[in-house]
Amino acid sequence: MKSTATEIEDKVDKLLTCLDTDSQHIQESLSQLNKLRSYVIKRDDSGLSQLLKIIQAETSSHRNHESQRQTIRKELAKALGCNIEQVTLSALEVRLPKVKKDQIIKKKAKLMSLIKELKKEHLSTILLLSECARFNNLLLKSIFDLGRTGAVYYNSNGATKQQTDMAFVNLHV
């Protein structure tokens, strides 16, 4: 029984280390969202390209980390004698000694705080990008619909003429 408790605590330690990496990843994501908004506002294409390359390079390491976390959860589920779906931080809080329980509570609170901040920053980024798209659509529509206004123009003789072409500048005198 004692070896099982030690095995569980070792796996919980691995999980806590994994959660630290998750926290670091969320903080990096927050930083990347801030950079993204900054580059969009500044219209910095080279910065956006660099950011995209960084994100693409980190994708496989994040995927590997996710796989590692799932493996730790499976091992914990096996050691605890339950399903993997039942291995959550809240469930672990109940089953572990006070020292580990306190560590899990701290990690859980930190993750919840970071996730809340990430959701807020994600929404801010979505709003900025949708506003940029709306503005660009209005700008393009005003440029390309310039000749389609159906407005009446007067020439130098005072005769009326309806503009039907798509010229940006009317050179008729």
Side-chain angles (χ1 to χ4, degrees):
M1 180 68 188
K2 190 150 185 130
S3 65
T4 305
T6 307
E7 179 185 348
I8 291 171
E9 286 191 25
D10 288 342
K11 293 184 187 326
V12 169
D13 287 337
K14 286 182 183 179
L15 181 63
L16 291 171
T17 303
C18 191
L19 293 177
D20 285 335
T21 306
D22 286 337
S23 295
Q24 186 179 15
H25 170 66
I26 293 171
Q27 289 170 338
E28 289 171 5
S29 296
L30 286 167
S31 173
Q32 290 170 344
L33 284 173
N34 285 330
K35 286 179 185 177
L36 175 65
R37 285 194 308 271
S38 173
Y39 292 151
V40 167
I41 290 169
K42 293 177 184 176
R43 291 184 283 174
D44 184 356
D45 291 335
S46 64
L48 285 169
S49 296
Q50 283 298 105
L51 183 61
L52 179 62
K53 288 177 185 175
I54 290 169
I55 291 170
Q56 288 173 338
E58 293 175 351
T59 301
S60 65
S61 68
H62 295 309
R63 196 174 298 126
N64 292 339
H65 176 71
E66 178 69 26
S67 174
Q68 179 186 9
R69 183 179 343 96
Q70 292 304 323
T71 301
I72 293 169
R73 285 184 67 207
K74 286 178 187 175
E75 292 171 358
L76 265 171
K78 185 177 179 182
L80 293 170
C82 61
N83 293 329
I84 190 169
E85 293 84 21
Q86 295 172 324
V87 179
T88 63
L89 294 179
S90 299
L92 289 174
E93 285 177 28
V94 176
R95 293 183 161 193
L96 295 174
K98 179 149 175 54
V99 175
K100 295 293 179 189
K101 179 180 179 176
D102 291 342
Q103 290 176 343
I104 287 179
I105 289 171
K106 286 180 185 176
K107 301 285 184 199
K108 183 179 170 183
K110 183 177 181 181
L111 283 170
M112 295 291 278
S113 171
L114 286 171
I115 289 170
K116 183 178 178 182
E117 182 69 19
L118 183 63
K119 285 180 181 180
K120 185 181 107 182
E121 294 297 322
H122 183 260
L123 180 62
S124 296
T125 304
I126 288 172
L127 291 174
L128 172 69
L129 294 176
S130 66
E131 197 60 25
C132 287
R134 186 185 70 79
F135 181 75
N136 285 342
N137 285 336
L138 286 173
L139 184 63
L140 288 172
K141 184 176 180 184
S142 69
I143 289 172
F144 291 115
D145 284 348
L146 183 67
R148 297 183 192 174
T149 61
V152 177
Y153 296 93
Y154 296 92
N155 63 17
S156 59
N157 298 344
T160 61
K161 176 184 173 193
Q162 189 159 354
Q163 185 176 354
T164 58
D165 56 354
M166 289 291 296
F168 289 109
V169 179
N170 190 351
L171 299 177
H172 293 285
V173 181

